[in-house]
Amino acid sequence: MAENHREGEAAKTFDVRILRQAGPGQASYWERHRVSYEPDMNVISVLQKIAAHPRTADGQDVTPVAWDCNCLEEVCGSCTMVINGRVRQACSALVDRLLEQHPDEIELRPASTFPVVRDLVVDRGRLFQALKKVTAWVAVDGYYDRGEGPPQSQEEQEQLYPLSHCMSCGCCLEACPQYARVELTRGVDESPEEFVQRQAETYDRLFLGPHAISQVILFNSHPTGRHMSSLRLDALIAEGGIQLCGNAQNCVAVCPKDIPLTTSIARAGRAATVHALRKWFDV
Amino acid sequence: MARQRVMVVGGGLAGLSAAMKLAELGIDVDVMSLTPVKRSHSVCAQGGINSCSDQTRQAGDSEWKHFDDTVYGGDFLQHQPPVKEMAYWAPKIINLMDRLGVTFNRTTEGFIDRRRFGGTLYKRTAFAGATTGQQLLYALDEQVRRWEVAGKVRKYEHWDFLGPVLDNHGVCRGCVGQDLVSMEIRAFPADAVLIASGGCGLLYGRSTNSVMCTGSAVSRCFQAGAKYANGEFIQVHPTAVPGADKLRLMSESARGEGGRVWVPRTPQDPRNPRDIPESERYYFLEERYPQYGNLVPRDIATREIFDICINEGLSVEKGRQCVYLDLTHIPRQELDRKLGGILEIYEKFQGVDPRVTPMKIFPAVHYSMGGLWVDYDRTADGGLRSASPTNMVTNLPGLYALGECNYQYHGANRLGANSLLSCIFDGLFAAPGLEVWLSSRATAAAEAPASLFESEVRRQQACQQELIRRPAGGENPYLLHQTLGEVMTKAATVVRRNPQLRDALREVEELAARAKRCALADTGQWTNQNLVFTRALLDMFPLAQTILRGALARDECRGAHYKPEFAMPHLTGETTAQRRAEADAWCTRFDENNRRWLKSTVAVWQPREESVQLSYEDVDTSLIPPRPRLYGLVGAALIEEVWNQRVTAQLARVP
Amino acid sequence: MERRPVAASTDCRPFLARNEFLIRRLHSLTGLIPVGAFMTVHLATNASVLDGPATFQRAVYQIHSLGRLLPVVEWAFIFLPILFHGLLGLVIIRGGMVNTGSYPLIGNIRYVLQRATGVIALVFILCHVFHMHGWFHSELWLERVVEPLGGGRFRPFSAPSTLGAAMQGGLVIPALYAVGLVACVYHLANGLWTMGITWGVWAGPQAQRRANWICGTAGVVLGILALSALYGAMTVDVPRAVEIEDALYEARVTAHKLAPNERKRADAERTGRGGSRVE
């Protein structure tokens, strides 16, 4: 940790290097900030400090850095960013630990697999589009009272609960070598609705990602959810489906919620094959 | 008539349950949220959701008892019909959530497992590990996505609600919002606007709330003329983990599953907590409240922890206030199955395994019992009339408030695991009433004169321009917010004293004045978070004033609002006769206090004076007459006896 | 409300896109059967040279007993599947990226290696087939192009000697073969493991760890086999091999298992120059 001695008083500081970008299509650039150290800081509190005093290490006044966050306890999935080269939630990235790994400096970058909105804020719409593609919901008849839900064994619950923990943070997608970045821009003569439609269609053709594959297993294992399993498997074997997984298994390694993504992928792979065979030979 | 639409502001449990139910009724819905709805603050709720169940029923529980516990826990400061309706809906709501695929923990036979929560003697609380809020929200998020695909719901995520649009008759005809990416400001004509934007914990700087819980949407409605009720009732959760950026919640379920709160009898005992023998541990909640033990209602647990640390000097650490919350006697496997989520949070953020070492916790601001004033339509038997547009409507027709941001259910103190229930109940119950409201309208908002919306958009644009054009070098909004948090935390949390409240009110007014000179560090027109934060900060002051004024005016102790100066005494007499006389006096004083203070505080914003005007509204206690809330009071049994005699005598007098 | 056509029947997207799943599954399958299976047999056959030229030559006779059917079998079960697997593999590689810099995790490194070894294996196999067989059985092509470049060295009726001759006389070729073989073996063994995940044979982390051992062991065995075959080829005693081949040839002709082929003898004398290549 750098120690800046000023007239006898020792103020511990450390540097934060942030990859900034003013908006889509603009050039990105690195900016260095110097932050005074306090115990128990995490990357969010660092960014809060920078927002309160947006001045670079060499004393230039700049606009505050933009970033996403909400719950600050790693359940909302907002604050995904690449910290010291690795994607994670900023709220649970404790400064003490980061400085143990890389003394003096913390490096922050936006997730590279999603289009940058501004600075550390990215557009993760594609991630949610995949949830639509795989019908990630239980299609109940309606919301009137119809008594209890189907009974479930403890064992079933213990299998479903971890899968249901996915907070759509996008860490798995950032680390996945098969999930290529795509950035669309609205055409001059395109209405916002048309653009959204084109975006959805494009996303649907690209790899849907481990998070969505895992949701298929979640809902296909649910006693009522499984009624629509063939529809979900159709999505898995469509273009951009499970076949694009390359088994690098980075997803499971970076998942902040320890979701057994690769187990889901293997199970989904099996189900998808059986489903495809059945479609060719049984129907 | 053009198609009608409903705008839901906020995508937490209340907003999403309303959206999905409205969509089911065939109504077109827009959902506006600061964040993708899946990331709303409801995900932070941990412990569970209450309802009586077939099992608790056989132990003597009933919907009525759930209702009674809620009212008693809330110190009778809630209108009883909505609470009753909610308690009677609770089992149905859990069944529905179960059908939607919420991964509730199960018993060996496959039923939904239950745990015990504070303020009740029954195991009423259904839970999904220690992330129940997250699981419930995801189920609703999924349903709303389903309706989005079906074209009934449109989501406006990353949009900020700037205010309702009211017509000449004061009827809400839509709202104005701002896209937080492009900073575009536009109007959304809507035939009803549902505010479901949650609490306002950010008023206190650090709390257990998410950073988006600024209360800004509520404050903007308040400033537009909506009434705000019971603002002074802010729940301080007894167990949170102090942190630099946030006070992270440590769920009540930790105690529900057997967690014990203690401090070493020797102040700041330097030994490892595991080496301190039982005899040298002070399990103060268990000793002081033998019946409820660690599961006393939150306001009481909070005050006791506060008292142990501040007044008795028994804090575990010297420089920092905290007590032990101990789970180490519970088998690891059971902990992982039932509390995994919160233990991971502790481990991740504190670097200590709570399965091995007791956690260090301290109270933190958690929930606002108060909120926008809303109406209800009472039936003869004391429930709510279903499909009535009067339910949950604010004093501005067409503007509704659901979930934490209304004041309806929790009175002076919320019981654990009732908030998830109240949020989902609000959404489901309000929807049929809205259908009736829409059908009663002669014209659709989309057909209202464009000028109505345009002028509001222009006003908002002008406000924004004024903010952006302020000269550089003014006040720093982030530092002002920090100061506001400190002032509020000091004056309006666990223990409240009038001189402090008066000081705080003055300081908040000063801060509000300084905030008018805030300068933005970012004057751009693209994802300007600086602007959004500053605007939210400006809107915190009216609510802060409401809380402080309400607290200052209320000279009594009720639920979370505790003024030692007005605390009811313990019985100290030496002889039975003395104590009986004291109990009699106690009951008389209790009665008088209720006559004076068993009233909802109703605040109205006065834009000209930029101040709050308070009035008081009687509480409908027609179903369960108020009775003393005696958790742990010395002489409680005697007071109860005297009180019961009085009630019987009163009943005898009534012909 | 749920029924959305995922892929409409009047789909005008390219064939590859419409049948992405089928094609990828075929890619995965061909890696094991027939390509992986053939490679195992091939390596085992070649390793038999360690047992002496006669064993190897007999094994080659065994293969060539298919006669006129052999080219059909070769194309259907070897060349086309390898080309399909290899060329599609190149397309697949284009759809991925390398991020081992940020994520130096075992699985990720294996993912990159799988692609790298795939490319090496494809190049190696093309070179190897050129080196031994000259790709196409056209006299003109072989004489004008292949042979001047040092390819087309193998003669099935003189298998040990021509193989030995091709692999001897310098360390460059054996070294390149070693690299190619190791790449092929890694690609097969690791591919077997990922295939097990792709097809859902081993799903959970424990099962995948166990499968790792199985595939790893298979890889080591195959690797030993491959390097043994290479070593065997490098150490063939060519003149003695010619004698053995001639003896075996005569015996076969006498037993009417083989039609006399005059060019065979010439082959043997010149150790792999000219002569019959068409088998």
Side-chain angles (χ1 to χ4, degrees), chain B residues 316-328:
Chain B
V316 168
E317 286 181 17
K318 202 171 182 75
R320 198 169 67 133
Q321 311 293 356
C322 56
V323 301
Y324 287 128
L325 172 56
D326 195 343
L327 295 166
T328 56

Side-chain angles (χ1 to χ4, degrees), chain C residues 72-85:
Chain C
V72 179
V73 172
E74 280 178 340
W75 276 99
F77 293 102
I78 305 172
F79 303 148
L80 286 178
I82 289 178
L83 283 174
F84 169 76
H85 188 85

Side-chain angles (χ1 to χ4, degrees), chain A residues 75 160-168 215 218 257 259, chain B residues 38 103 128 130-131 134-135 138 341 344:
Chain A
V75 285
L160 298 186
Y161 181 62
L163 304 187
S164 175
H165 252 88
C166 174
M167 53 187 186
S168 302
Q215 292 290 300
L218 169 64
K257 297 278 106 178
I259 298 169
Chain B
K38 195 176 178 177
T103 54
T131 58
Q134 183 196 41
Q135 297 301 308
Y138 288 2
E344 273 163 31

Side-chain angles (χ1 to χ4, degrees), chain B residues 32 41 81 95 101 116 118 190 225 228 256 346 390 513 519 572 588 616 630 634:
Chain B
M32 180 184 283
H41 177 61
N95 285 345
R116 211 187 113 202
Y228 193 89
Y346 190 85
T390 307
T572 51
T588 308
Y616 292 88
L630 296 165
V634 177

Side-chain angles (χ1 to χ4, degrees), chain B residues 238-292:
Chain B
T239 59
V241 186
D245 51 338
K246 184 187 186 186
L247 310 172
R248 293 180 178 85
L249 178 64
M250 187 45 59
S251 167
E252 191 164 305
S253 56
R255 283 172 288 137
E257 296 297 343
R260 303 176 74 187
V261 177
W262 62 277
V263 287
R265 290 196 188 267
T266 323
Q268 290 88 47
D269 195 324
R271 283 176 293 178
N272 181 327
R274 301 181 66 196
D275 298 335
I276 300 177
E278 282 290 302
S279 59
E280 293 176 45
R281 298 177 176 193
Y282 183 16
Y283 292 98
F284 53 96
L285 287 177
E286 292 170 35
E287 282 188 26
R288 295 179 185 181
Y289 304 90
Q291 193 185 13
Y292 287 84

Side-chain angles (χ1 to χ4, degrees), chain B residues 297-576:
Chain B
R298 289 180 175 173
D299 55 329
I300 292 171
T302 295
R303 274 199 292 279
E304 292 298 346
I305 294 171
F306 202 75
D307 177 65
I308 279 283
C309 293
I310 311 285
N311 301 332
E312 307 212 5
L314 285 174
S315 171
V316 168
E317 286 181 17
K318 202 171 182 75
R320 198 169 67 133
Q321 311 293 356
C322 56
V323 301
Y324 287 128
L325 172 56
D326 195 343
L327 295 166
T328 56
H329 54 286
I330 303 170
R332 176 176 280 266
Q333 212 189 350
E334 192 182 331
L335 287 178
D336 285 339
R337 200 159 63 79
K338 293 183 168 170
L339 300 171
I342 50 170
L343 302 185
E344 273 163 31
I345 291 178
Y346 190 85
E347 207 172 352
K348 237 171 207 171
F349 287 92
Q350 301 302 112
V352 176
D353 184 357
R355 300 165 194 88
V356 180
T357 310
M359 295 181 274
K360 291 178 187 170
I361 53 95
F362 195 70
V365 167
H366 181 53
Y367 189 89
S368 168
M369 272 76 71
L372 290 171
W373 179 91
V374 288
D375 205 352
Y376 61 91
D377 194 345
R378 188 187 196 279
T379 58
D381 64 353
L384 295 191
R385 196 175 311 285
S386 68
S388 163
T390 307
N391 294 321
M392 292 152 217
V393 69
T394 65
N395 54 310
L396 305 174
L399 183 70
Y400 290 75
L402 317 176
E404 184 174 349
C405 70
N406 78 29
Y407 85 121
Q408 266 204 122
Y409 304 99
H410 309 296
N413 170 56
R414 176 173 69 78
L415 287 192
N418 261 353
S419 63
L420 300 184
L421 177 63
S422 62
C423 288
I424 300 174
F425 169 74
D426 268 353
L428 294 178
F429 198 83
L434 282 155
E435 192 184 20
V436 174
W437 164 253
L438 295 192
S439 60
S440 73
R441 304 291 299 158
T443 58
E447 295 159 337
S451 58
L452 180 67
F453 300 104
E454 282 161 10
S455 65
E456 191 56 29
V457 168
R458 271 198 303 275
R459 194 178 71 81
Q460 293 291 355
Q461 280 166 339
C463 285
Q464 175 171 318
Q465 279 311 310
E466 189 273 321
L467 259 177
I468 284 179
R469 290 209 188 108
R470 282 182 193 172
E475 297 279 353
N476 184 325
Y478 300 95
L479 300 185
L480 286 181
H481 175 237
Q482 214 176 321
T483 315
L484 172 69
E486 283 158 15
V487 170
M488 292 298 289
T489 304
K490 193 170 151 213
T493 49
V494 185
V495 175
R496 298 160 177 199
R497 294 171 208 278
N498 285 341
Q500 274 183 354
L501 287 166
R502 258 179 234 115
D503 288 348
L505 203 51
R506 201 187 45 205
E507 285 172 84
V508 165
E509 276 162 9
E510 279 169 19
L511 285 172
R514 282 171 62 191
K516 292 209 170 122
R517 300 190 300 270
C518 265
L520 299 187
D522 185 353
T523 53
Q525 283 290 340
W526 185 262
T527 321
N528 188 339
Q529 296 179 336
N530 195 220
L531 169 74
V532 176
F533 179 83
T534 306
R535 197 168 46 205
L537 172 73
L538 292 172
D539 290 320
M540 285 181 194
F541 295 107
L543 291 190
Q545 281 191 42
T546 306
I547 292 170
L548 293 173
R549 282 213 183 275
L552 180 61
R554 188 176 282 275
D555 281 336
E556 65 153 354
C557 295
R558 190 176 294 278
H561 175 75
Y562 178 71
K563 277 188 181 169
E565 216 182 320
F566 300 92
M568 297 289 280
H570 296 278
L571 304 192
T572 51
E574 282 174 12
T575 65
T576 318

